[in-house]
Amino acid sequence: MAGSTQIPYLLRAARGEVLDRPPVWMMRQAGRYMKVYRDLRDKYPSFRERSENPDLAIEISLQPFRAFRPDGVILFSDILTPLPGIGIPFDIVESRGPIIDPPIRSLEQINNLHEIDPEASMPFIRTILQTLRQEVGNEAAVLGFVGAPWTLAAYSIEGKSSKDYTIIKGMAFSEPEMLHKFLAKIADAIATYACYQIECGAQVIQMFDSWAGQLSPQDFDAFAVPYQKQVFAKIKAAHPDVPLILYINGSAGVLERMAQTGADFVSVDWTVDLAEARQRLGANIGVQGNIDPCVLFGSKDFIRDRILDTVRKAGNRRHILNLGHGVLQGTLEENVAHFFETAKQVDKLLAVHA
């Protein structure tokens, strides 16, 4: 356990310190690629039980911490977790994903939604985050996370995962006032939930707008950015020093727009060269990423070389080393271990492989 006077390494990067190596964690670092997780899933097949039972969620959050010692430990949860707190029930079916029934399709349904009270609807979050802070001390930063308004609206309106988003886009293009009302309500709830996570112990918040990469730039400006800003502004008003990260899958076309949302860091996927991402985002925005998760299916030398290339391109300030998306099922645990071991020796390796 690290001494209490130290600041977690990831938070030092977030503050803009020049560091010998970037802090490192992985999206979806707890999950199906780990045997200990699969064993626990077999015993507790309900995802909601795994994520909402504090003992299980704490154990799952800590599995990769014990195995790999990342610089960030992220709450094991789901972006849909707060929805019942505003009146939208959901279930997660193994191999099918989230199901919202009935989906949100009418103004009456939107008007019937209520304000969120996280302590009443999600008291398990406090237990999980407080315990994670105690367990990891200052050896890692504890990350909370939320889904962005557009993505949560998309799930709620489509009723499930989608390939073409015809229902929410149909609403956006034919009944925009109704969708804007829904997005504003969700943004308010998400901001309240994020602040609650911080009050419970989260030291960083990452917002996932998983589906916003499916929007054209003009629709991104209309239906995603204003509500990302709404969430971030409310968090910053209450907790100005908590770093905020924005992740969008397939975001190459909207990077500059992401820099305008109030995020401190933009998490970049692998479709963008990290040096180019730096230029496009500007000097004031940190970067996270951006290694292709499939790199972990390569040889150990290949994994090392990709890490070194990424770190060279990112520079030694305000970079959090990560994948460009989550760890994929079937990834070898030994390759994940190698990724973390290599990441923690980057300063020495760069001197050798100059």
Side-chain angles (χ1 to χ4, degrees), residues 279-301:
Q279 290 178 327
R280 290 173 59 189
L281 288 164
N284 296 324
I285 304 288
V287 291
Q288 178 175 271
N290 68 333
I291 291 173
D292 184 339
C294 289
V295 164
L296 295 175
F297 290 87
S299 70
K300 288 186 167 55
D301 284 351

Short mmCIF file of all heavy atoms in Angstrom, two decimals, residues 279-301:
data_model
loop_
_atom_site.label_atom_id
_atom_site.label_comp_id
_atom_site.label_asym_id
_atom_site.label_seq_id
_atom_site.Cartn_x
_atom_site.Cartn_y
_atom_site.Cartn_z
N GLN A 279 -2.13 17.46 -32.21
CA GLN A 279 -2.21 18.71 -32.97
C GLN A 279 -3.66 19.17 -33.12
O GLN A 279 -3.97 20.35 -32.95
CB GLN A 279 -1.60 18.52 -34.36
CG GLN A 279 -0.09 18.35 -34.36
CD GLN A 279 0.47 18.11 -35.76
OE1 GLN A 279 -0.18 17.48 -36.60
NE2 GLN A 279 1.65 18.62 -36.01
N ARG A 280 -4.54 18.25 -33.41
CA ARG A 280 -5.93 18.61 -33.66
C ARG A 280 -6.65 19.04 -32.38
O ARG A 280 -7.53 19.90 -32.41
CB ARG A 280 -6.67 17.42 -34.29
CG ARG A 280 -6.23 17.15 -35.73
CD ARG A 280 -6.86 15.88 -36.27
NE ARG A 280 -8.32 15.93 -36.26
CZ ARG A 280 -9.11 14.90 -36.52
NH1 ARG A 280 -8.57 13.72 -36.82
NH2 ARG A 280 -10.43 15.04 -36.49
N LEU A 281 -6.27 18.46 -31.25
CA LEU A 281 -6.96 18.78 -30.00
C LEU A 281 -6.43 20.06 -29.36
O LEU A 281 -7.15 20.72 -28.60
CB LEU A 281 -6.80 17.62 -29.01
CG LEU A 281 -7.62 16.37 -29.34
CD1 LEU A 281 -7.10 15.17 -28.56
CD2 LEU A 281 -9.10 16.60 -29.05
N GLY A 282 -5.19 20.43 -29.63
CA GLY A 282 -4.62 21.63 -29.03
C GLY A 282 -3.89 21.31 -27.73
O GLY A 282 -4.04 20.24 -27.14
N ALA A 283 -3.12 22.28 -27.28
CA ALA A 283 -2.18 22.06 -26.17
C ALA A 283 -2.87 21.89 -24.82
O ALA A 283 -2.27 21.34 -23.89
CB ALA A 283 -1.20 23.23 -26.11
N ASN A 284 -4.10 22.37 -24.69
CA ASN A 284 -4.73 22.37 -23.37
C ASN A 284 -5.46 21.07 -23.03
O ASN A 284 -5.94 20.91 -21.91
CB ASN A 284 -5.73 23.53 -23.27
CG ASN A 284 -5.03 24.87 -23.37
OD1 ASN A 284 -3.91 25.03 -22.88
ND2 ASN A 284 -5.65 25.84 -24.01
N ILE A 285 -5.57 20.16 -23.99
CA ILE A 285 -6.33 18.93 -23.78
C ILE A 285 -5.36 17.75 -23.67
O ILE A 285 -4.50 17.57 -24.52
CB ILE A 285 -7.32 18.68 -24.94
CG1 ILE A 285 -8.25 19.88 -25.13
CG2 ILE A 285 -8.11 17.39 -24.71
CD1 ILE A 285 -9.30 20.04 -24.07
N GLY A 286 -5.52 16.95 -22.62
CA GLY A 286 -4.74 15.74 -22.50
C GLY A 286 -5.29 14.65 -23.41
O GLY A 286 -6.42 14.74 -23.90
N VAL A 287 -4.47 13.64 -23.66
CA VAL A 287 -4.92 12.52 -24.50
C VAL A 287 -4.81 11.21 -23.74
O VAL A 287 -3.91 11.03 -22.91
CB VAL A 287 -4.13 12.42 -25.83
CG1 VAL A 287 -4.43 13.59 -26.73
CG2 VAL A 287 -2.63 12.30 -25.58
N GLN A 288 -5.73 10.32 -24.02
CA GLN A 288 -5.69 8.97 -23.48
C GLN A 288 -5.78 7.99 -24.64
O GLN A 288 -6.50 8.20 -25.60
CB GLN A 288 -6.86 8.74 -22.52
CG GLN A 288 -6.91 7.33 -21.95
CD GLN A 288 -8.00 7.14 -20.92
OE1 GLN A 288 -7.78 7.36 -19.75
NE2 GLN A 288 -9.19 6.74 -21.36
N GLY A 289 -5.02 6.92 -24.54
CA GLY A 289 -5.11 5.89 -25.58
C GLY A 289 -3.73 5.59 -26.14
O GLY A 289 -2.72 5.85 -25.51
N ASN A 290 -3.74 5.11 -27.33
CA ASN A 290 -4.85 4.83 -28.24
C ASN A 290 -4.55 3.55 -29.00
O ASN A 290 -4.74 3.45 -30.19
CB ASN A 290 -5.09 5.99 -29.20
CG ASN A 290 -3.95 6.18 -30.21
OD1 ASN A 290 -2.80 5.83 -29.97
ND2 ASN A 290 -4.27 6.73 -31.35
N ILE A 291 -4.05 2.54 -28.26
CA ILE A 291 -3.55 1.32 -28.90
C ILE A 291 -4.71 0.40 -29.29
O ILE A 291 -5.64 0.18 -28.51
CB ILE A 291 -2.55 0.62 -27.97
CG1 ILE A 291 -1.27 1.46 -27.87
CG2 ILE A 291 -2.24 -0.80 -28.42
CD1 ILE A 291 -0.26 0.99 -26.86
N ASP A 292 -4.65 -0.11 -30.52
CA ASP A 292 -5.65 -1.05 -31.01
C ASP A 292 -5.70 -2.26 -30.07
O ASP A 292 -4.67 -2.89 -29.83
CB ASP A 292 -5.26 -1.48 -32.43
CG ASP A 292 -6.27 -2.40 -33.10
OD1 ASP A 292 -7.09 -3.03 -32.40
OD2 ASP A 292 -6.23 -2.48 -34.35
N PRO A 293 -6.87 -2.61 -29.52
CA PRO A 293 -6.94 -3.77 -28.62
C PRO A 293 -6.41 -5.05 -29.25
O PRO A 293 -5.94 -5.95 -28.54
CB PRO A 293 -8.43 -3.89 -28.31
CG PRO A 293 -8.99 -2.52 -28.55
CD PRO A 293 -8.17 -1.92 -29.65
N CYS A 294 -6.46 -5.15 -30.58
CA CYS A 294 -5.96 -6.36 -31.26
C CYS A 294 -4.44 -6.46 -31.21
O CYS A 294 -3.89 -7.55 -31.46
CB CYS A 294 -6.45 -6.39 -32.71
SG CYS A 294 -8.21 -6.73 -32.84
N VAL A 295 -3.75 -5.36 -30.87
CA VAL A 295 -2.30 -5.43 -30.68
C VAL A 295 -1.96 -6.48 -29.62
O VAL A 295 -0.92 -7.14 -29.68
CB VAL A 295 -1.74 -4.03 -30.30
CG1 VAL A 295 -0.33 -4.12 -29.73
CG2 VAL A 295 -1.76 -3.11 -31.52
N LEU A 296 -2.85 -6.66 -28.66
CA LEU A 296 -2.61 -7.63 -27.59
C LEU A 296 -2.67 -9.07 -28.08
O LEU A 296 -2.38 -9.99 -27.32
CB LEU A 296 -3.60 -7.41 -26.44
CG LEU A 296 -3.47 -6.06 -25.71
CD1 LEU A 296 -4.57 -5.90 -24.68
CD2 LEU A 296 -2.10 -5.92 -25.07
N PHE A 297 -3.06 -9.26 -29.34
CA PHE A 297 -3.00 -10.60 -29.95
C PHE A 297 -1.67 -10.80 -30.69
O PHE A 297 -1.44 -11.86 -31.27
CB PHE A 297 -4.18 -10.81 -30.92
CG PHE A 297 -5.51 -10.93 -30.20
CD1 PHE A 297 -6.25 -9.81 -29.88
CD2 PHE A 297 -6.00 -12.18 -29.85
CE1 PHE A 297 -7.47 -9.92 -29.21
CE2 PHE A 297 -7.22 -12.31 -29.19
CZ PHE A 297 -7.95 -11.18 -28.87
N GLY A 298 -0.82 -9.78 -30.68
CA GLY A 298 0.49 -9.87 -31.34
C GLY A 298 1.55 -10.45 -30.42
O GLY A 298 1.28 -10.84 -29.27
N SER A 299 2.78 -10.50 -30.92
CA SER A 299 3.90 -11.01 -30.11
C SER A 299 4.26 -9.99 -29.03
O SER A 299 3.88 -8.82 -29.10
CB SER A 299 5.12 -11.25 -31.01
OG SER A 299 5.64 -10.00 -31.45
N LYS A 300 5.03 -10.43 -28.07
CA LYS A 300 5.42 -9.52 -26.98
C LYS A 300 6.28 -8.37 -27.51
O LYS A 300 6.15 -7.22 -27.07
CB LYS A 300 6.13 -10.30 -25.88
CG LYS A 300 5.16 -11.17 -25.08
CD LYS A 300 5.84 -11.84 -23.90
CE LYS A 300 4.82 -12.44 -22.93
NZ LYS A 300 3.88 -13.39 -23.56
N ASP A 301 7.15 -8.65 -28.48
CA ASP A 301 7.96 -7.58 -29.07
C ASP A 301 7.07 -6.58 -29.81
O ASP A 301 7.31 -5.37 -29.76
CB ASP A 301 9.00 -8.15 -30.04
CG ASP A 301 10.17 -8.80 -29.32
OD1 ASP A 301 10.26 -8.66 -28.08
OD2 ASP A 301 10.99 -9.45 -29.99
#
